[in-house]
């Protein structure tokens, strides 16, 4: 691929960046016949060596050698129909329809075409494809039937017509161009007629017809005219303004913004804003004979040529003004309405169209100039690296200078600063000079190397909001001068947190923030919670480089940088996110040739600037580049992802959308994909994931293929996203289903069979052992129940009035749990928890347990210890943890007023809530030493009253349902 920069003098084409490809880049030949873009986003190029598919990176030649189903060699005329099919009219093999499913159907003279040499194709409103050949016209219906349109024989004998161009207009009429005098045909109302509506040119020979968006017709008329016909009004454009008169208008194209492009045998032309601009081989066009012009979905203009391959014109974000001199500074002069450039060979003055001479440029000829400034009064301050020192060029043309003879510390001056207080600060390679009062006769104060100033090689000057002057040095960091006392107030070096001690530029692009560009990174000083904090950025946290020459910010809050690696930008929000602790890195976007920066590089330690229109001017080693944020908008079109090829070990397959099956012996799977964006195609990035294998999407990469080795058998889903350099993300690709077949021993039925055999073989061995285990488990369970029953008897024996209490509570708890839907296993655990819930009473004195009278407060406190005692007794029983839960928390209340831990609501374990309701019911329905059992109605009333306060409302409701079912009060019995 070749890229050029347009030379000055062809203003319209300066808005574009050209790129070109020929046979050296992968095209099968340099003779291009046609260009189209299909619905998938590919660019297709017609050549005599085959149909060529292009994704911005790779050319794929499609012909019978590529795949036998493409039974053609050449591609002369290309067309995309309304159904998305790609039609290829070959040079001598007929017409081929390539469907969206990659099916191919051929039409030739055997099917009714008048000739196999196809010259052009178009589609009418009924979906018929019109085929123009070297000796006649035919139609192919949507059903694939070939027929000759009626009526043509009335005008042309035997349909013997050589078609140059076909066009279907907005009214559905078909235009047939023959390039013969008075032989432009129109098909309308199922009849042909000769069009005689052109009156501006006698005996017109029309090569091309098209329509603009307003409906006006445009005709390409020999030898080099473009004729616009809007109703009866005709406008004639002379397309032969190119140095050598063209012989034919090959193509007319209207782009998406209303420009009219046309091609002749001697170059390319554009009508824009009523003016015609030309682009030829002299300005960099690959070949003057342009045969086709096309615009893609991203507004790139594609040019097909007869001998030079293809060329693409993309909207340029930058414009280059070259003078082949190293530019050290650039600044706008709003007084004189010019741009001043500081060059290694003098001062240059640019008036937006050309370089001009004036007394200052003549005075500084062949003098190395490091910096230029414009004062508020319109004076030009020039810092030279020679015997001229600092020059002041006044608005009335006077030239004044300050040199070593006037008291400067040296003539090698780096830059100047006219202070708001009226003094002129001059930076030199061996000290700071302050000319008081900005007067030729003013006193000059100097500051050189000292205990406070470790380097007096001054690189840059900056006045802050308080009037202090910041001086950046070459290796000594920064020293700050008080503009009133001329004393040094403060110094900053790497010891204070700066990224580096070589200071290129200091600025305040954002109020309250000092941006310091150094040789080893960017430092940003800002107030943070009342103290000064320094944030450093370099290649380690996203800056993309370490040495930064300068930082500028445009009105879109994009920060622009110059560096040895070129021009790049970072959005200010990235820095804010770092300042606010939301992120620890930034994202840098670099610009290069594809953006219009065609240069040998950025000038080191130079000064770029922003003009009054908000445009940015960048210094280069061979000129300047300027960027207009209004025109330099990012590409907002999302790339289109396509899966191109699947490779299994060494065998490649064109992906057709069907599931991909891989044999069990296959070791390597490779997937090739592309992201169709033709603006900086090489910078499109991808992120992919193989679901079933990858845990997440990959990091973004420019690689367009991925491989997996030794995948386990199973089904996988592959998806890939693409993202442009402007961070516009695509929709996901079609999901590729990949099925890795298993070996026979990986199959479920085989494993089941082997497992069955193993099971049968071992079943006999474990059968008798199993019976022994079952008998042992039964004995253990019976023993456990007997032990628990004995323990319960011991508990109940403590109090004759509560004898059988534990068994009854266990029974009621199981009834509640069963109605609550608990499983049999859960019911068994709740049963044991109910039996042992009062085991802690073993640790309570018998005198309190058996006391017939009401307990005192102290005695009740002793009783309240039994839940904790019980949980301590049972805590070693891990097989049934519910017994510990039931023992400790069955006296907790729903409202949190229970004991021992004051748990509430669902914080109380569910088993304890169930036992709590069952325990209360038995307490009320049992005889006690101090009272008889309560009646069923009173019991029901008490449980109803405690629902939602003492008891879990759900389990209390279940207990009420049990009471209501117990009409005869049998539970009490």
């Amino acid at each position: 691929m070749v890229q050029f920069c347009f030379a000055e003098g062809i203003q319209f084409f300066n808005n574009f960046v050209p790129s070109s490809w020929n046979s050296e880049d992968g095209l099968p030949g340099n003779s291009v016949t046609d260009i189209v873009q299909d619905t998938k986003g590919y660019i297709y190029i017609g050549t005599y060596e085959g149909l060529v598919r292009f994704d911005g990176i790779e050319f794929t030649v499609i012909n019978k050698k590529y795949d036998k189903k493409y039974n053609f060699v050449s591609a002369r005329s290309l067309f995309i129909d309304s159904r998305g099919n790609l039609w290829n009219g070959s040079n001598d093999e007929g017409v081929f329809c390539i469907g969206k499913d990659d099916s191919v159907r051929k039409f030739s003279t055997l099917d009714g075409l008048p000739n196999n040499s196809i010259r052009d194709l178009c589609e009418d409103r009924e979906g018929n494809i019109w085929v123009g050949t070297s000796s006649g016209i035919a139609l192919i219906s949507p059903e694939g039937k070939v027929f000759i349109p009626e009526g043509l024989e009335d005008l042309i004998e035997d349909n013997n017509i050589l078609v140059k161009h076909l066009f279907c207009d907005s009214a559905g009429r078909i235009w047939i161009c023959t390039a013969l005098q008075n032989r432009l045909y129109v098909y309308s109302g199922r009849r042909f007629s000769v069009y005689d509506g052109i009156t501006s040119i006698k005996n017109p020979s029309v090569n091309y017809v098209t329509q603009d968006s307003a409906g006006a017709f445009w005709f390409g008329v020999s030898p080099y005219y473009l004729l616009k016909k809007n109703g009866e009004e005709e406008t004639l454009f002379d397309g032969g303004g190119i140095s050598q008169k063209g012989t034919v208008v090959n193509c007319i194209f209207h782009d998406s913004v209303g420009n009219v492009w046309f091609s002749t045998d001697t170059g390319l032309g554009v009508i824009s804003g009523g003016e015609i601009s030309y682009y030829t081989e002299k300005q960099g066009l690959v070949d003057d004979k342009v045969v086709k012009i096309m615009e893609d979905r991203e507004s790139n203009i594609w040019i097909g040529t007869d001998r030079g391959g293809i060329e693409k014109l993309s909207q340029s974000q930058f414009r280059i003004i070259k003078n082949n001199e190293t530019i050290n500074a650039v600044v706008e002069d709003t007084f004189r309405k010019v741009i001043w450039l500081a060059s290694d060979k003098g001062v240059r003055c640019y008036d937006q169209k050309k370089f001009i001479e004036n007394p200052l440029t003549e005075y500084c000829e062949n003098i190395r100039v490091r910096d230029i400034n414009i004062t508020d009064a319109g004076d030009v301050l020039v810092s030279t690296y020679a015997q001229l020192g600092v020059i002041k060029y006044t608005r009335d043309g006077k030239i004044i200078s300050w040199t070593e003879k006037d008291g400067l510390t040296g003539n090698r001056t780096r830059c100047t600063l006219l202070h708001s207080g009226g003094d002129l600060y001059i930076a030199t390679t061996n000290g700071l000079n302050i000319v008081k009062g900005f007067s030729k006769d003013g006193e000059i104060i100097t500051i050189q190397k000292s205990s406070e100033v470790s380097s007096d090689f001054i690189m840059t000057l900056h006045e802050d909001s308080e009037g202090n002057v910041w001086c950046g040095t070459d290796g000594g960091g920064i020293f700050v001068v008080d503009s009133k006392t001329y004393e040094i107030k403060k110094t900053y070096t790497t010891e204070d947190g700066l990224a580096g001690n070589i200071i290129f530029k200091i600025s305040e692009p954002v109020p309250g923030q000092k941006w310091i560009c150094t040789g080893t990174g960017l430092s940003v000083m800002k107030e943070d919670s009342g103290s000064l904090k320094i944030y450093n950025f370099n290649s380690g946290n996203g800056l993309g480089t370490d040495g930064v020459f300068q930082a500028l910010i445009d009105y879109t809050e994009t920060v622009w940088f110059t560096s040895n690696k070129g021009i790049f930008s970072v959005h200010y929000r990235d820095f804010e996110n770092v300042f606010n602790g939301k992120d620890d890195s930034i994202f840098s976007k670099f610009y290069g040739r594809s953006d219009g920066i065609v240069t040998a590089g950025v000038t080191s330690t130079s000064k770029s600037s922003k003009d009054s229109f908000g445009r940015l001017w960048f210094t280069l080693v061979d000129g300047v580049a300027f960027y207009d944020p209004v025109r330099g908008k990012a590409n907002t079109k999302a790339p289109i992802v396509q899966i191109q090829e699947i490779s299994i070990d060494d065998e490649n397959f064109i992906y057709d959308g069907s599931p991909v099956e891989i044999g069990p012996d296959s070791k390597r799977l490779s997937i090739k994909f592309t992201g169709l964006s033709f603006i900086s195609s090489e910078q499109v990035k991808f992120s992919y994931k193989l679901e079933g294998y990858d845990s997440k999407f990959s990091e973004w990469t420019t690689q367009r293929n991925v491989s997996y080795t030794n995948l386990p058998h199973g089904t996988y889903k592959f998806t890939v996203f693409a993202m442009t350099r402007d961070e516009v993300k695509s929709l996901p690709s079609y999901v590729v289903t990949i099925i890795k077949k298993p070996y026979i021993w990986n199959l479920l039925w085989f494993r089941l069979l082997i497992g069955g055999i193993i099971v049968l073989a071992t079943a006999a061995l474990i059968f008798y052992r199993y019976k022994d285990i079952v008998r042992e488990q039964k004995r253990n369970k019976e023993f456990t129940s007997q032990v628990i029953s004995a323990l319960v008897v011991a508990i109940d024996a403590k109090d004759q009035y509560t004898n059988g209490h534990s068994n009854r509570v266990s029974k009621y708890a199981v009834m509640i749990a069963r109605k609550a839907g608990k499983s049999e296993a859960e019911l068994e655990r709740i049963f044991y928890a109910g039996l042992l819930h009062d085991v802690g009473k073993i640790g309570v004195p018998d005198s309190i347990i058996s006391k017939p009278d009401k307990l005192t407060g102290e005695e009740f406190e002793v009783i309240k210890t039994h839940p904790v005692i019980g949980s301590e007794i049972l805590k070693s029983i891990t097989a049934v943890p519910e017994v510990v839960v039931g023992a400790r928390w069955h006296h907790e209340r729903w409202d949190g007023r229970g004991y021992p831990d004051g748990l509430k609501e669902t914080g109380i374990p569910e088993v304890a809530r169930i036992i709590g309701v069952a325990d209360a019911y038995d307490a009320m329905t049992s005889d006690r030493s101090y009272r008889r059992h309560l009646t069923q109605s009173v019991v029901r009333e008490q449980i109803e009253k405690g629902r939602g306060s003492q008891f879990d409302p759900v389990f209390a409701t279940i207990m009420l349902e049990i009471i209501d079912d117990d009409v005869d009060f049998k539970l009490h019995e």
Side-chain angles (χ1 to χ4, degrees):
M1 182 180 73
V2 181
Q3 292 183 314
F4 298 94
C5 174
F6 287 110
E8 285 296 298
I10 48 173
Q11 297 296 319
F12 176 85
F13 289 98
N14 276 324
N15 298 321
F16 293 88
V17 178
S19 305
S20 63
W21 298 264
N22 56 35
S23 58
E24 295 180 359
D25 304 298
L27 273 176
N30 289 333
S31 183
V32 173
T33 58
D34 210 344
I35 309 176
V36 296
Q37 185 172 36
D38 74 351
T39 56
K40 294 179 180 179
Y42 286 108
I43 297 295
Y44 280 89
I45 304 159
T47 75
Y48 291 111
E49 289 76 21
L51 177 65
V52 182
R53 188 185 72 190
F54 186 44
D55 67 353
I57 298 295
E58 183 180 41
F59 293 98
T60 302
V61 181
I62 300 172
N63 54 29
K64 61 177 63 178
K65 294 180 182 178
Y66 172 77
D67 191 320
K68 292 180 179 179
K69 72 177 181 180
Y70 302 105
N71 191 25
F72 56 81
V73 172
S74 61
R76 182 161 185 167
S77 178
L78 305 178
F79 182 74
I80 307 294
D81 69 19
S82 58
R83 297 175 293 278
N85 299 313
L86 170 62
W87 292 79
N88 171 29
S90 69
N91 193 41
D92 59 0
E93 299 157 299
V95 179
F96 298 82
C97 177
I98 304 173
K100 295 180 72 174
D101 59 356
D102 286 330
S103 62
V104 181
R105 186 171 180 183
K106 178 180 179 180
F107 302 90
S108 68
T109 53
L110 298 176
D111 303 290
L113 292 183
N115 195 295
N116 284 336
S117 180
I118 311 303
R119 302 307 175 94
D120 206 6
L121 301 161
C122 77
E123 182 180 14
D124 64 22
R125 283 186 170 182
E126 297 175 357
N128 299 309
I129 301 299
W130 286 64
V131 183
T133 76
S134 60
S135 59
I137 297 173
L139 277 69
I140 302 175
S141 71
E143 296 75 29
K145 181 182 178 182
V146 178
F147 60 97
I148 306 299
E150 298 179 0
L152 188 59
E153 66 276 3
D154 297 334
L155 294 175
I156 302 172
E157 185 177 352
D158 297 329
N159 187 21
N160 189 13
I161 176 175
L162 192 155
V163 177
K164 298 287 288 186
H165 175 60
L166 294 171
F167 174 67
C168 180
D169 67 21
S170 57
R173 296 174 296 183
I174 302 296
W175 296 74
I176 302 103
C177 300
T178 66
L180 300 176
Q181 290 186 359
N182 302 315
R183 288 297 182 269
L184 172 61
Y185 300 104
V186 180
Y187 181 77
S188 178
R190 301 194 179 279
R191 61 182 296 270
F192 287 91
S193 62
V194 175
Y195 181 72
D196 58 2
I198 297 176
T199 60
S200 301
I201 301 175
K202 293 183 178 180
N203 302 318
S205 298
V206 179
N207 297 285
Y208 204 89
V209 181
T210 189
Q211 251 181 316
D212 61 25
S213 58
F217 285 91
W218 290 72
F219 301 93
V221 186
S222 294
Y224 41 74
Y225 294 111
L226 288 85
L227 188 144
K228 176 183 178 183
K229 189 171 181 65
N230 191 5
E232 297 300 320
E233 181 182 356
E234 294 185 359
T235 306
L236 196 62
F237 296 89
D238 184 350
I242 303 171
S243 57
Q244 178 183 351
K245 294 290 186 179
T247 58
V248 64
V249 175
N250 295 310
C251 181
I252 303 173
F253 176 77
H254 296 83
D255 67 20
S256 56
V257 294
N259 299 313
V260 183
W261 299 70
F262 63 94
S263 64
T264 73
D265 288 352
T266 55
L268 179 69
V270 176
I271 303 173
S272 179
E275 295 184 357
I276 300 179
S277 299
Y278 297 98
Y279 178 39
T280 68
E281 290 181 18
K282 291 183 178 179
Q283 286 84 36
L285 180 63
V286 293
D287 178 24
D288 278 342
K289 188 173 183 180
V290 178
V291 297
K292 184 62 182 288
I293 309 168
M294 186 274 291
E295 181 180 24
D296 67 21
R297 67 185 189 90
E298 296 170 293
S299 301
N300 299 302
I301 302 297
W302 294 79
I303 303 164
T305 71
D306 185 54
R307 300 180 303 274
I310 59 172
E311 183 164 328
K312 173 176 68 75
L313 302 180
S314 300
Q315 285 286 337
S316 173
Q317 297 195 62
F318 293 83
R319 181 181 171 189
I320 305 296
I321 301 172
K322 282 194 174 183
N323 68 345
N324 295 319
E325 295 177 358
T326 298
I327 305 301
N328 300 305
V330 56
V331 65
E332 179 192 28
D333 184 342
T334 58
F335 297 94
R336 301 169 182 83
K337 301 187 184 308
V338 296
I339 300 292
W340 294 97
L341 309 178
S343 161
D344 274 358
K345 296 182 179 181
V347 172
R348 303 294 179 243
C349 187
Y350 185 70
D351 72 349
Q352 306 294 339
K353 293 183 179 179
K354 60 182 182 301
F355 288 99
I356 61 174
E357 298 291 330
N358 55 45
L360 181 59
T361 63
E362 294 172 358
Y363 186 76
C364 297
E365 187 64 27
N366 293 321
I367 297 295
R368 189 181 185 195
V369 179
R370 294 293 314 192
D371 189 38
I372 296 182
N373 278 328
I374 309 297
T375 70
D376 291 341
D379 297 326
V380 181
L381 295 176
V382 180
S383 301
T384 74
Y385 234 47
Q387 67 274 14
L388 299 181
V390 170
I391 300 168
K392 172 184 175 182
Y393 179 57
T394 66
R395 292 185 65 182
D396 58 4
K398 294 180 180 178
I399 292 177
I400 303 170
S401 65
W402 290 268
T403 67
E404 197 170 2
K405 294 179 180 179
D406 299 299
L408 296 185
T409 56
N411 287 331
R412 294 164 66 88
T413 60
R414 295 283 305 192
C415 62
T416 60
L417 169 69
L418 182 58
H419 193 272
S420 58
D423 294 339
L424 175 64
Y425 285 70
I426 301 173
T428 74
T429 58
N430 57 342
L432 175 67
N433 300 262
I434 307 170
V435 181
K436 297 182 70 174
F438 191 27
S439 168
K440 174 66 175 175
D441 301 323
E443 178 188 356
I444 298 179
I445 299 173
T446 62
I447 298 176
Q448 293 183 284
K449 186 180 292 186
S450 65
S451 60
E452 294 180 287
V453 180
S454 60
S455 172
D456 55 7
F457 190 122
I458 314 298
M459 303 272 283
T460 185
L461 298 170
H462 169 71
E463 180 182 356
D464 67 18
S465 57
E466 298 177 356
N468 301 309
V469 177
W470 292 56
C471 306
T473 71
D474 184 6
I478 299 170
F479 64 88
V480 183
V481 176
D482 187 322
S483 61
K484 296 178 182 178
T485 64
Y486 305 113
E487 296 179 350
I488 297 174
K489 293 180 63 175
K490 176 71 176 173
T491 61
Y492 296 95
T493 67
T494 52
E495 294 181 359
D496 302 293
L498 288 184
N501 288 328
I502 299 176
I503 312 300
F504 294 136
K505 291 291 181 296
I506 306 171
S507 63
E508 290 188 59
V510 178
Q513 299 179 10
K514 292 180 177 63
W515 291 53
I516 302 164
C517 299
T518 81
T520 47
L522 169 71
S523 295
V524 180
M525 287 185 177
K526 66 186 295 290
E527 292 289 333
D528 194 351
S529 301
S531 61
L532 184 67
K533 187 169 183 180
I534 299 177
Y535 298 86
N536 290 325
F537 301 89
N538 52 41
S539 58
N541 57 357
L543 193 63
T545 184
D546 291 323
V548 181
F549 300 148
Q550 189 175 1
L552 298 167
I553 188 167
D554 67 23
Y555 67 85
T556 69
E557 294 193 338
T558 299
V559 186
W560 294 82
F561 296 93
T562 55
S563 71
N564 273 327
K565 290 184 68 174
I567 298 170
F568 65 98
S569 69
V570 180
H571 200 282
Y572 180 69
R573 66 171 174 268
D574 284 16
F575 291 104
E576 280 190 320
N577 288 338
V578 174
F579 299 153
N580 298 330
K582 295 180 180 179
D583 209 338
D584 56 6
S585 63
I586 58 177
F587 175 77
S588 301
K589 182 164 73 172
F590 281 81
Y591 300 84
R593 298 178 69 87
S594 61
D595 304 293
I597 305 179
V598 184
T599 177
V602 174
T603 310
S604 63
T605 70
S606 59
K607 183 178 79 176
S608 301
S609 63
K610 181 169 65 175
D611 68 20
S612 57
F613 299 99
R615 298 175 300 186
L616 302 176
W617 293 75
F618 298 99
T619 55
L620 306 174
V621 296
D622 47 11
V624 291
F626 76 82
Y627 170 84
D628 187 346
V630 175
R631 289 183 55 250
K633 295 179 180 178
N635 174 30
T636 58
K637 293 285 188 181
I640 301 174
V641 180
Q642 298 290 349
I643 306 295
Q644 293 183 310
E645 191 174 84
I646 306 291
S647 298
I648 302 172
D649 292 334
D650 296 326
E651 192 172 1
N652 300 330
F653 305 91
I654 303 300
Y655 179 65
D656 59 4
S658 59
V660 178
E661 293 188 352
I662 306 174
D665 292 325
S666 299
K667 302 298 182 183
R668 184 181 183 87
L669 167 71
S670 298
I671 304 172
K672 181 180 178 181
F673 43 81
T674 189
L676 296 171
S677 173
F678 294 95
I679 297 176
S680 300
S681 302
E682 69 283 354
Q683 296 186 44
V684 174
K685 294 182 178 181
F686 302 89
S687 178
Y688 52 82
K689 178 183 178 182
L690 184 63
E691 185 178 335
Y693 184 84
D694 295 324
S695 60
K696 61 180 181 178
F697 276 90
S698 70
E699 297 295 325
W700 291 100
T701 175
T702 56
Q703 291 184 348
R704 295 175 176 241
N705 58 75
V706 60
S707 295
Y708 297 91
T709 56
N710 297 321
L711 286 174
H713 71 88
T715 300
Y716 303 89
K717 306 284 186 180
F718 180 81
T719 306
V720 60
F721 288 89
M723 182 173 65
T724 66
R725 187 199 60 186
D726 296 303
E727 299 183 72
V728 182
K729 191 175 177 182
S730 73
L731 295 173
S733 65
Y734 292 110
V735 176
V736 182
T737 301
I738 299 163
I739 303 170
K740 176 71 177 290
K741 293 182 177 180
Y743 289 102
I744 188 171
W745 52 82
N746 297 133
L747 296 174
L748 178 60
W749 68 264
F750 184 83
R751 291 186 177 187
L752 290 175
L753 176 62
I754 297 301
I757 294 172
I758 294 173
V759 168
L760 290 174
T762 57
L765 297 175
I766 66 174
F767 176 71
Y768 293 105
R769 177 57 182 160
Y770 169 74
K771 294 181 71 174
D772 291 340
I773 292 172
V774 169
R775 282 195 295 269
E776 185 69 22
Q777 287 179 338
K778 185 177 181 180
R779 285 196 297 270
N780 290 339
K781 187 172 184 180
E782 290 174 353
F783 176 76
T784 301
S785 297
Q786 291 167 1
V787 171
I788 291 175
S789 296
L791 186 58
V792 169
V793 169
I795 296 168
D796 290 350
K798 294 275 289 185
D799 187 355
Q800 59 179 329
Y801 290 100
T802 60
N803 187 30
H805 170 69
S806 297
N807 279 297
R808 290 193 300 274
V809 169
S810 180
K811 174 184 174 182
Y812 302 149
V814 170
M815 293 174 67
I816 294 170
R818 180 174 282 111
K819 288 182 73 67
K822 302 301 179 182
S823 67
E824 289 301 319
E826 291 173 310
L827 293 177
E828 184 177 9
R829 292 192 291 272
I830 291 170
F831 172 77
Y832 288 129
L835 284 176
L836 297 174
H837 78 283
D838 270 345
V839 70
K841 287 184 178 179
I842 291 175
V844 178
D846 291 346
S847 59
I848 296 176
I849 291 292
S850 302
K851 184 178 180 180
D853 300 324
K854 187 175 182 179
L855 299 177
T856 66
E858 292 180 356
E859 291 170 334
F860 186 65
E861 288 300 318
V862 174
I863 282 288
K864 289 169 64 176
T865 64
H866 82 271
V868 176
I869 295 171
S871 65
E872 287 298 314
I873 292 171
L874 301 173
K875 67 181 182 181
S876 61
I877 301 177
T878 58
V880 188
E882 286 82 0
V883 299
V884 179
V885 170
R888 185 176 184 92
W889 290 306
H890 68 277
H891 280 297
E892 298 287 358
R893 289 172 56 100
W894 185 258
D895 57 12
R897 294 166 57 195
Y899 64 89
D901 298 316
L903 305 181
K904 65 184 297 185
E905 297 180 0
T906 57
I908 306 168
E910 188 178 59
V911 171
R913 283 181 270 144
I914 294 173
I915 293 174
V917 176
D919 187 39
Y921 176 79
D922 186 68
M924 290 187 284
T925 59
S926 301
D927 292 332
R928 296 298 173 95
S929 60
Y930 52 86
R931 63 156 173 79
R932 293 275 294 165
H933 70 269
L934 303 181
T935 65
Q936 189 177 33
S937 60
V938 172
V939 173
R940 192 188 193 288
E941 181 182 342
Q942 290 300 315
I943 292 179
E944 178 70 51
K945 184 177 179 180
R947 181 169 57 176
S949 57
Q950 181 178 352
F951 309 121
D952 182 323
V954 174
F955 300 130
T957 300
I958 293 175
M959 190 70 238
L960 291 173
E961 293 173 357
I962 294 171
I963 292 172
D964 292 341
D965 292 339
D966 184 24
V967 178
D968 298 327
F969 205 14
K970 290 184 177 181
L971 287 179
H972 160 64
E973 297 175 358

